[in-house]
Every structure is written in C-alpha cells, then in structure tokens.
Amino acid sequence: MPVTPTRAMVLAAGLGLRMRPLTERMPKPMVPVAGKPLLDHVLDRLADAGVSEAVVNVRYLPDQIIDHVAHRSRPRIIISDERNEVLGTGGAVAKALPLLGDAPFFHLNADTMWIDGARPNLTRMAETFDPARMDILLLMAPTTGSIGYAGSGDYAMLPDGALRKREENQVVPFVYAGVAIMSPALFAGAPAGEFSLTTMFDRANERERLFGLRLDGVWMHVGTPDAIEAAEKAVLVSAA
C-alpha cells in the first residue's frame, strides 16, 4: 500500500563551495532565488504535501538557518545540530533517525528546486512509494530539459521504475533531483560516523529495491551563482 510521509529530512549543512562568493556570508540554503531562500522553496513544498515535521541539519553558519526557521509552524522544524562533527549526507540521516520515526519519510536537499507539472511531484511520489517493494524512491529528472545541468546522468530507469546505476563512461537519461522517500529500515547496520548517502542508494540497488519516479515538470540545478538567473527566469515563466 502507498504511504503518505508526515515527516521529512532536509539536508542543509553543506559548505556551498561552488556557490561562492555568495556563501562566504550565508549558508547555501539561505541564498535567495525568485524572492525567497532556497530552503523556503523546499519547506513550502513539504508543507503543501502535508508534512507536519521536518528535521533540518545545520553545520556551516548554522545560526542563520536556525533563526530563519524559528517562526515556521508548517512544517514544524526540528534542528539536527552538526556544528561539532562531520557526518556526510548519510551520517546526517543516521543521526536524525530517532527524530524521523519508524515510517518512510521524505528526504530533500535544501538547494533543490523544481516546477511542478499538472500534479505536485511530492504527492505523486507518496502515491508511488510501495514499502513492500522499495527501500528508496528517487525523484528522477530527465537530463534533457533540466535547467543548469550538463552532466552524464545518474541512473537508467526500467519500465517498472527500477533504477540501474550509471557505469563509468556511460551516459544515462536521468539525474537524481535531490528528492526521495526512504524507509528507515534501510539504515539498519549503517556505518558509524561520516558516510555518503550514495552508500544507501547502492545498498538498495543491490537488493533491487531502488526505484525512481520521473519528475513531471522542470528541475533546476542551482549549483552556482550563474545558475540563479536561469532558475528565476523559469519560475517567472511558470507563474505567468
């Protein structure tokens, strides 16, 4: 049966090195795009999807994020403070698991942006995620048509949504859009301390329990200052 996550993890602890010089004075999730910080774009999406609580991890210039989210009630924000440790994207989730509960949860990068199509992509993901078959469901953006992305993709996707990781020197049609639904059970026996979330992706892939859903709409890779203008133009066009 599909699930409707009520909790989420938002990764907001990165240094944002590629976004310099903007991130010399603010953490990347606070960089404004189309009138509001990247982090608010993510949190507003979660609120619209019915998420009641979101764990936000912080490390670089953490007080700016903590102060900014203090007023939010939808979703209610729980801070996972990592200023005295380095955990990586996987270790951050492992630390936050007691705050996330036992049910599948949304997982988003704080700097991911997209324009929904006919129906919200988070709703589509909740309807698609099947805990009997899946440990992780990734939102996958087509490499063609995405804004600000020029890479070789991350995964090929089979007709049933099963994902297959890109081999070296291979070009595949889909890139991970920074949005997922994950089962906490996948993290049983996870490494201690710092590790990458791709370790969990690979573990699910080996078990054939890693699936994807094609994004309906437009994904924007806002990785550098130059990419902000392109993202803002896309948002303005979509709102017209």
Side-chain angles (χ1 to χ4, degrees), residues 163-164 199-210:
L163 295 178
R164 295 294 180 263
T199 302
M200 297 294 101
F201 292 1
D202 292 345
R203 176 181 292 185
N205 201 5
E206 291 168 2
R207 300 175 180 175
E208 298 187 352
R209 293 180 60 85
L210 179 68

Side-chain angles (χ1 to χ4, degrees), residues 80-165:
S80 180
D81 196 323
E82 301 174 10
R83 73 184 79 196
N84 295 319
E85 51 194 336
V86 178
L87 295 176
T89 53
V93 178
K95 176 182 178 178
L97 284 178
L99 303 172
L100 293 166
D102 298 327
F105 57 90
F106 282 117
H107 179 281
L108 296 91
N109 296 336
D111 59 356
T112 192
M113 279 191 68
W114 72 92
I115 299 168
D116 280 322
R119 300 180 65 236
N121 283 289
L122 294 184
T123 300
R124 296 176 58 240
M125 292 184 73
E127 293 172 350
T128 302
F129 186 82
D130 179 1
R133 296 191 304 136
M134 306 174 185
D135 287 330
I136 303 178
L137 176 68
L138 304 182
L139 186 63
M140 305 303 300
T143 54
T144 57
S146 293
I147 295 173
Y149 182 78
S152 301
D154 295 322
Y155 293 95
M157 188 157 50
L158 303 183
D160 66 350
L163 295 178
R164 295 294 180 263
K165 189 175 181 179

Side-chain angles (χ1 to χ4, degrees), residues 212-227:
L213 178 68
R214 181 183 179 126
L215 180 143
D216 181 17
V218 179
W219 178 60
M220 294 164 282
H221 184 235
V222 190
T224 63
D226 292 341

